Amino acid sequence: MPDYHDDLRLAHVLADAADATTMERFKALDLKVETKPDMTPVSEADKAAEELIRTSLQRARPRDAVLGEEFGSEGSGPRRWVVDPIDGTKNYVRGVPVWATLIALMERGEGGDRPVVGVVSAPALGRRWWAAEALGAYTGRSLSSASRLAVSKVGNLADASFAYSSLSGWEERGRLNGFLDLTRACWRTRGYGDFWPYMMVAEGSVDICAEPELSLWDMAANAVIVQEAGGRFTGLDGVPGPNSGDAAASNGLLHGVMLDYLRP
């Protein structure tokens, strides 16, 4: 098995630098925010954090490719770093502390590209989560001060906590009825949004979560953390991994029944 300790340490260094950059501008009165062609916001902090990560990767891993939300794809090869500098930009620009930098390393194999390292750092919450293939998933303040993550053992949908992002995406894709039926079947539902539901699945405080439209940079880091915590991460089509354009994550026990509700 490949050893990803060095890559994981590098991802933490990248996250430390990104945290310093994003926190410096969080709640700044003169924060510059633009609207992208897809009508989503991007702040100067998004761009600065991604530029910083890319520059660091060029020095530390010059042969690796990079894909980022703000500056696209660069390089080629079997290893690719996938970066979302601020997942939850709408929260960031409004002063809501639920946002994070997502950093993942993906490797090409027989089944296609898969995430093998992931770090999710939410400095405004004072939280960080990480994982590497075959090394487990953890949360804490540093590699040396961490606790291991494990998904829940809830096996009945009526006892399950379901987290999601919003209703509008499900309605736009003609899946709102199935989504609402799923919420009615669960014990509890909450719209935490963005990266946080996936981290709570990995922690065992939430049992299932799903979103109907996502990009690779939204999912790659989350996927390896959920999987290494003992859960399942697939598209709504049931295909494992973060490559389907949508996502469903669970403790594994409830995955099939969740997908039954959410399939078209």
Side-chain angles (χ1 to χ4, degrees):
M1 290 290 292
D3 186 343
Y4 296 109
H5 282 95
D6 287 345
D7 294 311
L8 184 58
R9 282 191 286 268
L10 174 59
H12 274 272
V13 171
L14 298 174
D16 289 341
D19 285 354
T21 298
T22 53
M23 285 301 292
E24 182 180 6
R25 299 299 291 154
F26 184 49
K27 295 187 177 181
L29 296 178
D30 61 343
L31 181 71
K32 295 178 182 178
V33 182
E34 303 171 2
T35 301
K36 294 191 287 189
D38 63 0
M39 301 308 294
T40 60
V42 57
S43 74
E44 61 182 271
D46 290 81
K47 294 180 178 180
E50 185 170 323
E51 286 176 338
L52 180 64
I53 292 170
R54 285 175 176 270
T55 299
S56 298
L57 285 171
Q58 286 171 359
R59 292 195 299 264
R61 297 289 190 275
R63 296 183 179 179
D64 292 352
V66 181
L67 171 67
E69 179 177 10
E70 307 307 335
F71 298 107
S73 183
E74 180 179 2
S76 60
R79 289 167 47 100
R80 178 171 59 164
W81 294 86
V82 181
V83 177
D84 189 342
I86 299 179
D87 183 50
T89 299
K90 292 178 181 178
N91 283 346
Y92 183 88
V93 302
R94 289 296 302 271
V96 178
V98 184
W99 50 271
T101 296
L102 279 53
I103 301 170
L105 172 64
M106 299 189 71
E107 276 198 350
R108 190 167 303 150
E110 293 182 1
D113 290 355
R114 73 189 192 284
V116 295
V117 171
V119 171
V120 172
S121 189
L125 294 175
R127 298 294 311 276
R128 183 176 291 186
W129 304 261
W130 63 89
E133 188 175 81
L135 296 179
Y138 297 85
T139 185
R141 296 196 174 275
S142 68
L143 282 166
S144 60
S145 177
S147 57
R148 190 153 188 171
L149 299 174
V151 297
S152 75
K153 299 185 183 300
V154 174
N156 190 329
L157 197 60
D159 300 323
S161 180
F162 172 38
Y164 61 94
S165 184
S166 68
L167 298 179
S168 59
W170 299 99
E171 185 173 29
E172 290 166 3
R173 285 152 193 83
R175 300 188 179 191
L176 183 59
N177 288 339
F179 172 86
L180 292 175
D181 287 343
L182 176 59
T183 66
R184 296 182 186 108
C186 292
W187 165 65
R188 192 169 191 259
T189 59
R190 286 293 183 270
Y192 300 108
D194 300 311
F195 69 94
W196 209 3
Y198 302 97
M199 298 304 97
M200 287 190 281
V201 167
E203 290 178 337
S205 54
V206 163
D207 309 301
I208 58 175
C209 67
E211 290 183 86
E213 183 182 21
L214 292 166
S215 297
L216 183 60
W217 49 74
D218 297 313
M219 297 183 283
N222 295 336
V224 65
I225 293 172
V226 169
Q227 290 166 351
E228 286 295 315
R232 285 187 65 190
F233 190 105
T234 73
L236 297 177
D237 54 9
V239 175
N243 299 299
S244 296
D246 45 39
S250 76
N251 63 5
L253 300 173
L254 298 170
H255 208 83
V257 66
M258 172 176 59
L259 292 181
D260 287 342
Y261 277 96
L262 297 177
R263 286 191 179 101

